[in-house]
Amino acid sequence: MELTALGLLLLGVVLAEPASRTLARARWPARDPVGALLVWQAVGLAGGLSLLGAGVVYGLAPLGPTLPAALAAVDASAPGRLGVTHVVALSLALLLALRLIGVLVAVTVRTQRARRRHRDLLDVLGTPWPAAPGARVLDHPVPVAYCLPGLRSRLVLSAGVLDALEPAGVRAVLAHERAHLRERHDLVVLPFVAWGATAPFVQGMVCAQVAVAALIEMRADDVAASGACSGELVGALRTMGGAAPAAALSSFTTALDRRLDRITDPPPPLRRPVRVLVRLGALALVAVPTALLLLS
């Protein structure tokens, strides 16, 4: 089991740092944002399983030849059969798990509170817009559009958007924001926000958060562009001059120029066999540490 623990540790470190940096710099995700998001989720899940599993596997090694056997052998006398290094490994795994869960819960609670407060303000200050069910218009001259995801989601447009854009442009902006809501991009990005906050000194984790945020915007752009002229979407996004609240998802980002170039001159999508391989690769990433944990 010691070799399995070492393998899991190495896999977790590689996924958290060099693999994440490499994936963040890769160009192919722009050709398949959905596949890239699946790979990122697999990297996060496999990395967490590997790092936590390494400590557990090594810590319980004296109790059995495999992890299932060691877990079955845990009883009142188990602590006496563990060496100091095994206790340290189990303690580190427990601390890491508590850190990951604690940060995820804290980020989730903080985000939900901010969204709830903002939603309450919108219900008071915003005016329902009959042309788009669920949308509210804020009386503000700066063109800005965003969505507040959740069970009580909101689509928000400023009066500046309606003044600055033609109806086709408004529809393109709404399609972008609805894509965020329908595909629950807030839930996709949330674990990576927590991952980056857990160890901000690990550059790979920070790269993951930034890359996933860019990919959900690409995905929403693709959905909006599929139902509108690309020129209308580009013009609408160029007009967006405001910044959305931190708790919202917005089509206005610092990487806007790259997104506009991608909409205007879209890269060729990955061929179907390659897309299938990307998804199988994501599945394999999760399967490897899972198999090592179950069969070690």
Side-chain angles (χ1 to χ4, degrees):
M1 287 176 66
E2 286 83 357
L3 287 178
T4 300
L6 179 60
L8 287 168
L9 178 62
L10 291 175
L11 178 60
V13 171
V14 168
L15 290 176
E17 182 53 41
S20 291
R21 286 200 191 200
T22 301
L23 182 56
R25 291 195 300 264
R27 295 185 178 182
W28 70 264
R31 301 172 62 187
D32 184 14
V34 174
L37 286 170
L38 291 174
V39 171
W40 272 117
Q41 290 174 312
V43 167
L45 182 56
L49 280 175
S50 298
L51 292 174
L52 293 173
V56 174
V57 168
Y58 180 79
L60 297 179
L63 302 183
T66 66
L67 181 59
L71 290 172
V74 173
D75 54 25
S77 65
R81 289 181 279 164
L82 301 179
V84 174
T85 56
H86 300 101
V87 173
V88 170
L90 287 172
S91 299
L92 290 175
L94 177 61
L95 288 174
L96 178 58
L98 291 176
R99 170 70 174 168
L100 287 170
I101 295 172
V103 172
L104 179 59
V105 170
V107 169
T108 301
V109 170
R110 185 167 61 248
T111 302
Q112 291 300 324
R113 284 178 178 172
R115 286 175 181 164
R116 184 169 58 250
R117 288 195 298 268
H118 193 74
R119 189 180 296 113
D120 292 341
L121 285 173
L122 284 174
D123 290 344
V124 174
L125 301 176
T127 303
W129 192 36
R136 290 183 175 269
V137 177
L138 290 177
D139 187 14
H140 196 283
V142 175
V144 61
Y146 59 91
C147 63
L148 281 177
L151 295 178
R152 297 168 54 212
S153 61
R154 296 287 187 275
L155 276 171
V156 185
L157 299 170
S158 69
V161 170
L162 302 181
D163 293 337
L165 297 181
E166 297 294 330
V170 175
R171 287 194 297 270
V173 170
L174 289 175
H176 177 104
E177 301 304 332
R178 285 196 176 107
H180 283 316
L181 294 177
R182 183 172 56 254
E183 300 184 6
R184 293 309 306 264
H185 288 162
D186 57 307
L187 298 181
V188 174
V189 76
L190 185 61
F192 293 93
V193 174
W195 194 12
T198 299
F201 51 86
V202 179
Q203 191 61 33
M205 293 185 175
V206 178
C207 290
Q209 180 181 343
V210 174
V212 169
L215 284 169
I216 63 172
E217 294 299 335
M218 290 183 195
R219 170 58 183 165
D221 288 341
D222 290 345
V223 173
S226 67
C229 172
S230 61
E232 294 169 349
L233 179 59
V234 168
L237 293 178
R238 285 193 187 280
T239 303
M240 297 294 103
L249 292 176
S250 172
S251 60
F252 186 83
T253 69
T254 55
L256 185 58
D257 286 341
R258 290 195 297 273
R259 287 173 52 206
L260 295 181
D261 290 341
R262 180 177 176 274
I263 297 170
T264 304
D265 185 19
L270 296 180
R271 291 182 297 174
R272 184 179 180 85
V274 179
R275 293 201 305 271
V276 172
L277 286 176
V278 166
R279 285 147 181 79
L280 290 176
L283 183 62
L285 269 179
V286 179
V288 168
T290 302
L292 288 174
L293 288 171
L294 294 177
L295 303 176
S296 61

